[in-house]
Amino acid sequence: MNGYFGSYLVVAVLLLIGLAIVAGALLANRLLRPSRPTPDKLLTYECGVDPVGEGWAQSQIRYYVFTYLYVVFAVDAVFLFPWATVFAAPGFGMTTLVEMFVFLGFIGIGILYAWRKRVLAWT
């Protein structure tokens, strides 16, 4: 198949090969590993400390905001480098410049949100 769907066939075959490799590795692991469950091995723990009390704990919302900020800045860095290479290509200058200002607007909204939530303070 050399037509339009031929390239999709190659992708599908490679996906199936990848899934077979992963499934084979997991199956080999299950067949070759020793299995000796004891009550101590089945006990949940965190950082080597035996659990005390209930398993439910409340976390603060600011940790989610830190995660959001990380994603904002990581995505910013990931998209700036390819943009810089495409910007220099002939015929893409103004289009990529406008797209980058839209993207930086979204980044600015993220920073403004973090500033309004007082996450950017060093306390």
Side-chain angles (χ1 to χ4, degrees):
M1 292 184 99
N2 290 335
Y4 177 74
F5 294 109
S7 59
Y8 286 111
L9 181 64
V10 171
V11 171
V13 168
L14 289 175
L15 180 67
L16 289 175
I17 290 171
L19 288 174
I21 290 171
V22 170
L26 290 174
L27 180 65
N29 182 23
R30 180 164 293 236
L31 293 175
L32 296 175
R33 70 178 176 170
S35 178
R36 296 182 199 98
T38 63
D40 287 335
K41 287 183 181 179
L42 297 175
L43 184 66
T44 58
Y45 69 96
E46 184 173 341
C47 299
V49 179
D50 291 333
V52 176
E54 296 183 23
W56 185 83
Q58 187 174 4
S59 61
Q60 296 183 7
I61 190 67
R62 68 178 168 188
Y63 296 122
Y64 296 108
V65 177
F66 291 144
T67 305
Y68 174 72
L69 279 176
Y70 172 76
V71 169
V72 165
F73 289 117
V75 169
D76 182 24
V78 166
F79 282 117
L80 280 176
F81 291 112
W83 172 79
T85 60
V86 173
F87 183 70
F92 290 106
M94 187 55 70
T95 304
T96 56
L97 186 64
V98 170
E99 288 176 354
M100 185 48 63
F101 276 117
V102 169
F103 177 71
L104 290 176
F106 282 117
I107 298 297
I109 290 171
I111 293 171
L112 182 65
Y113 174 79
W115 178 69
R116 297 271 301 171
K117 292 292 181 179
R118 299 178 189 224
V119 176
L120 300 177
W122 288 98
T123 57

